[in-house]
Amino acid sequence: MRKMEHLISINCVKLLIATLFYTCVLSSSVEQKIYVELNNTVPCVRLLNATHQIGCQSSISGDTGVLHVLETESDLDWILSSGPHPPYMVIMETAFFNRSVMMRMKNSPRVAGVAVIVSKTGLADHFSPHTTCPNQNTGLYSENNAPELANCNMTVWNPFGNGLSYEDFSFPVFALKDENQTQVIRKCYEDHNLRVNGSAPRYPLCAMQLFSHMHAVTDTVTCMRRTDLQNRFSINPEVLCDPLSDFNVWTSTRPLNSSAKGHVADESVVIAATRLDGRSFFWEQAPAAEGTVSGIVTLLATIQALYPVTREAPPPRNIFFTFFQGEAFDYIGSSKMVYDMEKNDFVIDLNNVHSMLEIGQIGLRRGQSLWMHSDPVSRRNTSVDTEVLNLMKNVNSAAAGLSVKLDQPSFSQPLPPSSFQRFLRAKQIPGLVLADHNTSFNNRYYESMYDDAENMNVTYPPNLSPDEQLVYETEEAKSLAEVATLVARSLYMQAGGENSRLSNITADPKIVAQLLYGFLVQKNNSWFRSLLPPEVTKKGDNSILSSGPPQFYIGLGPRIHGPVHSVTRFVQYILANLTGSVTNLTESQCQNPSEVNTENKDFFSYFWVSGPASVNGTEEPFCVQASVRLSKAVSPAFELLQYGSRDYSTWTESRWKSIRARIFLVASRELEMLTLGVGVAVLLLSLLVTYFISSKAELLFSSARETPTTTY
């Protein structure tokens, strides 16, 4: 009898487990039937600096609202005042994504969130969510230094800037990138939420829920203090925010000893620089074509043109090429390099710097002049002014025979936003910034998701295969190749090179074409794959070679994404390809050059690359030796623990747990209350029945006594 009872118990447990499992599977299936998850969405996230927070976030459980598509002014009135079903989740086309509309919704309790359909339909003639004065008071000109030039008093560089990226929204804002899912949302709206003859739609209504709760609040000072307290006293500390950080990439025509720090005797250096990063309103959506890519491509093509000549006939001065990360956020990369130079923690110091030439926005020249910007404050020093004039003379001489017209702004005009300003804050250095604009930017989409290939007029004839597009020389490629030739020849003369060699310095438009295609259209191409390590190019690795152009948002490189990610990795390996030499080292030796006595790891880095694919599609990896290095691009404020610093960038990015979006049908309030009432009634009834059964358990479940066997 006991054995049978035991078997019955086991079977009951098994039945219970099976029932629970079936219930879990069924609930998952029910959830999938209720909700439509939206993929390929991009949020606006929260950023903080020393004084305030910007960006967007949802409540901790996500924000929900009835969908309403914003297409006319009457739709906006419906959302903000007359609509009977608030709060609303607003779906808008590009044409309505502007400051006036967003600020009206920001101040309304009737808006639960916003989803922007990313398309070029109805795109305004200009759209820049950045400020009118980029990097205000963090460059050379401030209230303490040349106040008459501070705050863009002399020149408003970005007149189309509406400052939307620097607002703080208490509701989530997402970008919808998947056209198919956008159609699903529209269908749901048209089937359930569309007004008929101006009357309110009937339930059930289509609703959307957005999750983007941010952990950090107030400002960087508060966030870092709370994070430090967590690390000190909590058993399971939780980081609330991270400093924006990545790496600068640099190289030089003569290798520099990376193990030696500080001043290098008898070394005079000409710096050629540009920026690596960009940003927009939405997280990691920064194509930055004119704002960033034009400079990256031009400097890389400059290096390609210079290196053969500098090896044959090295100029007296070294040419130092650097790509700065984080410049969109108060000059993170250049500030860090200057800081390291000042405290003798870099391969050279400021006294080694002879002069500087920076490449700014140059992609929209289109037959107009290329402008040589200089600093009027440092040029008050006679010796600096003489060197600046000499640099201008070299640039003008280099333009001979090229279809590049040069001009210079008025003497009193300040420098545009540029990394050069951070060097001038530390020391008066002769230098120029090349740009395609005299006063305000030509770029109508500065620091927005629309500063893309189309903005730079990088287009291709129809019916070209990806490999044909890769090498197709667009008009923009030819234009930037000419500028790169100009810069290369100018640098060679500035470094003291022989004028007789200038004719041998010419940038290759095909290289420029490949760079433009890779940085603006498709990074997963045959050339880029051949330059990267085999483990990156393996099938299924989407961390680097996903579809589309690279990521130019600085992000949280060293802390979150490992040693290097995104555009930094591409520039590093492209530089190695353009300036390095192939060695016969094995993979193991290449990855551990310190074990090989004949190799000099202090002057060179070693890269194990995939190599071009052969006829049968296989790759033959090899080792490249190049003087390409990385240096940290993280603001000195975080090294000094000065989170409220006014001298250095203090930008951090909030952490979050979940970023997702979904749509579903929502019932009327009355039906919801009825359902709740029925549920409560069933609960009370079940409790009553359970109590009754429990109180009568002995009577209901008592087993009949067995009749004892009588023996006589």
Side-chain angles (χ1 to χ4, degrees):
M1 178 66 72
R2 289 185 177 178
K3 184 176 182 181
M4 180 149 318
E5 289 178 353
H6 181 65
L7 289 173
I8 291 172
S9 314
I10 292 175
N11 288 332
C12 287
V13 171
K14 289 181 178 179
L15 180 61
L16 179 61
I17 293 173
T19 303
L20 289 173
F21 177 76
Y22 177 75
T23 303
C24 291
V25 172
L26 186 62
S27 66
S28 176
S29 175
V30 170
E31 182 180 2
Q32 291 175 2
K33 290 180 179 179
I34 294 175
Y35 299 104
V36 176
E37 295 291 335
L38 302 176
N39 301 318
N40 209 8
T41 60
V42 184
C44 156
V45 302
R46 173 164 290 167
L47 298 168
L48 309 99
N49 66 7
T51 57
H52 59 288
Q53 64 185 27
I54 61 173
C56 323
Q57 78 152 356
S58 73
S59 60
I60 194 167
S61 57
D63 288 333
T64 304
V66 173
L67 277 181
H68 196 89
V69 177
L70 176 57
E71 295 178 311
T72 64
E73 190 67 28
S74 63
D75 288 323
L76 188 58
D77 292 336
W78 179 270
I79 293 165
L80 298 179
S81 57
S82 58
H85 305 123
Y88 286 99
M89 193 65 70
V90 183
I91 310 296
M92 64 170 66
E93 292 278 2
T94 300
F96 284 92
F97 184 53
N98 55 56
R99 182 177 179 84
S100 62
V101 171
M102 290 296 294
M103 294 307 289
R104 286 180 67 184
M105 291 192 294
K106 175 183 177 180
N107 300 318
S108 172
R110 294 170 57 89
V111 176
V114 173
V116 181
I117 299 172
V118 178
S119 76
K120 292 300 181 71
T121 305
L123 180 62
D125 181 59
H126 55 80
F127 176 76
S128 174
H130 210 280
T131 60
T132 57
C133 190
N135 289 355
Q136 188 172 359
N137 286 324
T138 58
L140 176 62
Y141 313 112
S142 64
E143 300 300 329
N144 299 323
N145 183 48
E148 71 280 4
L149 303 178
N151 304 308
C152 295
N153 289 334
M154 181 73 69
T155 305
V156 178
W157 297 108
N158 186 34
F160 297 131
N162 58 34
L164 204 58
S165 290
Y166 289 83
E167 292 292 337
D168 182 32
F169 294 93
S170 59
F171 53 73
V173 182
F174 277 52
L176 305 176
K177 298 180 64 182
D178 191 315
E179 187 174 342
N180 293 329
Q181 292 198 334
T182 300
Q183 294 303 319
V184 171
I185 296 171
R186 281 192 175 276
K187 183 72 166 56
C188 186
Y189 169 76
E190 291 169 358
D191 289 347
H192 300 279
N193 297 14
L194 198 62
R195 287 179 288 173
V196 180
N197 298 324
S199 60
R202 295 184 178 181
Y203 286 97
L205 297 175
C206 189
M208 175 181 279
Q209 190 172 26
L210 301 178
F211 298 85
S212 63
H213 181 67
M214 301 286 129
H215 293 177
V217 293
T218 309
D219 51 41
T220 292
V221 178
T222 303
C223 179
M224 295 302 289
R225 183 182 70 244
R226 291 176 178 175
T227 298
D228 291 343
L229 286 173
Q230 287 263 2
N231 291 333
R232 290 180 185 179
F233 302 110
S234 177
I235 298 175
N236 297 309
E238 184 176 7
V239 177
L240 304 178
C241 61
D242 298 280
L244 295 181
S245 55
D246 202 296
F247 288 88
N248 300 322
V249 187
W250 62 268
T251 187
S252 54
T253 52
R254 279 199 304 272
L256 294 167
N257 188 346
S258 62
S259 62
K261 305 295 182 183
H263 185 73
V264 182
D266 301 324
E267 186 75 84
S268 181
V269 170
V270 177
I271 295 180
T274 194
R275 60 186 278 184
L276 274 179
D277 68 307
R279 65 164 302 194
S280 76
F281 183 84
F282 296 102
W283 182 65
E284 292 198 336
Q285 292 300 298
E290 157 74 345
T292 300
V293 173
S294 62
I296 293 175
V297 169
T298 302
L299 189 54
L300 287 172
T302 296
I303 295 168
Q304 173 267 326
L306 264 177
Y307 251 77
V309 176
T310 55
R311 285 179 175 176
E312 291 178 8
R317 297 189 185 96
N318 203 349
I319 306 176
F320 182 93
F321 304 97
T322 180
F323 299 79
F324 292 120
Q325 263 285 12
E327 299 303 274
F329 292 94
D330 299 336
Y331 307 116
I332 293 174
S334 54
S335 295
K336 174 62 173 170
M337 185 172 287
V338 171
Y339 174 77
D340 288 343
M341 286 181 178
E342 287 182 306
K343 65 180 190 126
N344 293 322
D345 197 22
F346 196 65
V347 293
I348 56 174
D349 68 3
L350 290 171
N351 291 325
N352 289 125
V353 179
H354 172 267
S355 52
M356 185 168 177
L357 181 62
E358 181 173 352
I359 303 172
Q361 300 183 83
I362 57 169
L364 299 179
R365 187 168 57 90
R366 295 172 189 169
Q368 300 177 359
S369 295
L370 191 65
W371 294 85
M372 300 178 289
H373 295 266
S374 60
D375 168 46
V377 177
S378 60
R379 289 185 67 182
R380 294 169 188 166
N381 183 310
T382 306
S383 60
V384 171
D385 183 56
T386 301
E387 288 295 337
V388 170
L389 291 173
N390 185 58
L391 178 53
M392 286 183 176
K393 178 182 175 183
N394 288 335
V395 176
N396 277 294
S397 298
L402 301 175
S403 59
V404 181
K405 295 184 294 184
L406 292 165
D407 208 338
Q408 62 186 82
S410 65
F411 184 86
S412 60
Q413 182 171 293
L415 284 169
S418 52
S419 307
F420 182 38
Q421 292 195 31
R422 292 301 304 194
F423 282 81
L424 287 172
R425 279 184 60 150
K427 184 182 179 183
Q428 291 188 340
I429 297 171
L432 295 176
V433 176
L434 296 181
D436 57 22
H437 56 89
N438 175 16
T439 53
S440 59
F441 298 156
N442 290 337
N443 189 1
R444 297 169 297 145
Y445 303 106
Y446 181 74
E447 303 290 33
S448 82
M449 56 185 171
Y450 305 117
D451 183 14
D452 54 13
E454 187 176 324
N455 186 36
M456 272 178 61
N457 199 28
V458 177
T459 57
Y460 301 90
N463 304 321
L464 287 184
S465 68
D467 284 338
E468 290 172 333
Q469 289 182 343
L470 176 63
V471 296
Y472 181 79
E473 296 178 18
T474 62
E475 290 302 314
E476 185 66 23
K478 296 173 183 176
S479 174
L480 291 183
E482 284 239 304
V483 177
T485 300
L486 168 75
V487 174
R489 292 177 180 178
S490 303
L491 289 171
Y492 191 70
M493 284 191 286
Q494 186 69 9
E498 303 169 9
N499 288 347
S500 59
R501 299 275 182 173
L502 294 182
S503 59
N504 298 330
I505 302 175
T506 306
D508 185 352
K510 183 171 288 187
I511 291 288
V512 176
Q514 290 177 303
L515 291 168
L516 284 175
Y517 180 80
F519 284 127
L520 292 179
V521 181
Q522 181 57 264
K523 61 180 176 289
N524 192 356
N525 61 69
S526 57
W527 188 48
F528 275 19
R529 287 196 298 270
S530 70
L531 306 180
L532 293 171
E535 64 268 17
V536 171
T537 60
K538 287 178 182 177
K539 187 177 180 180
D541 187 342
N542 294 322
S543 60
I544 299 295
L545 287 174
S546 56
S547 180
Q551 177 49 247
F552 293 93
Y553 173 71
I554 179 176
L556 312 173
R559 296 193 178 201
I560 306 301
H561 299 290
V564 65
H565 80 301
S566 191
V567 67
T568 312
R569 172 71 64 92
F570 288 105
V571 170
Q572 180 190 21
Y573 276 80
I574 291 169
L575 269 179
N577 174 75
L578 296 177
T579 65
S581 56
V582 178
T583 70
N584 58 0
L585 297 180
T586 64
E587 180 178 3
S588 176
Q589 292 172 330
C590 191
Q591 294 173 348
N592 299 284
S594 57
E595 298 176 0
V596 184
N597 295 331
T598 56
E599 300 302 323
N600 195 333
K601 67 182 186 305
D602 291 330
F603 286 87
F604 297 101
S605 297
Y606 296 82
F607 304 86
W608 185 252
V609 301
S610 299
S614 60
V615 178
N616 59 7
T618 59
E619 299 170 345
E620 297 181 3
F622 54 86
C623 185
V624 173
Q625 178 198 68
S627 58
V628 178
R629 299 285 182 178
L630 300 177
S631 63
K632 285 185 179 180
V634 59
S635 172
F638 298 100
E639 184 174 319
L640 297 168
L641 304 181
Q642 296 176 0
Y643 306 133
S645 173
R646 299 302 175 92
D647 294 323
Y648 298 108
S649 171
T650 54
W651 286 106
T652 55
E653 181 183 275
S654 174
R655 289 222 180 165
W656 60 82
K657 278 192 170 69
S658 176
I659 298 287
R660 58 195 180 101
R662 60 188 184 182
I663 60 173
F664 56 96
L665 294 181
V666 63
S668 66
R669 186 71 175 172
E670 292 76 14
L671 182 57
E672 288 178 344
M673 296 307 296
L674 177 62
T675 305
L676 177 62
V678 171
V680 171
V682 170
L683 174 63
L684 294 175
L685 180 61
S686 64
L687 291 174
L688 184 63
V689 170
T690 303
Y691 174 76
F692 173 77
I693 293 174
S694 177
S695 63
K696 303 295 183 180
E698 291 186 1
L699 180 62
L700 294 173
F701 300 109
S702 63
S703 57
R705 291 186 178 181
E706 296 181 6
T707 305
T709 303
T710 306
T711 58
Y712 296 91

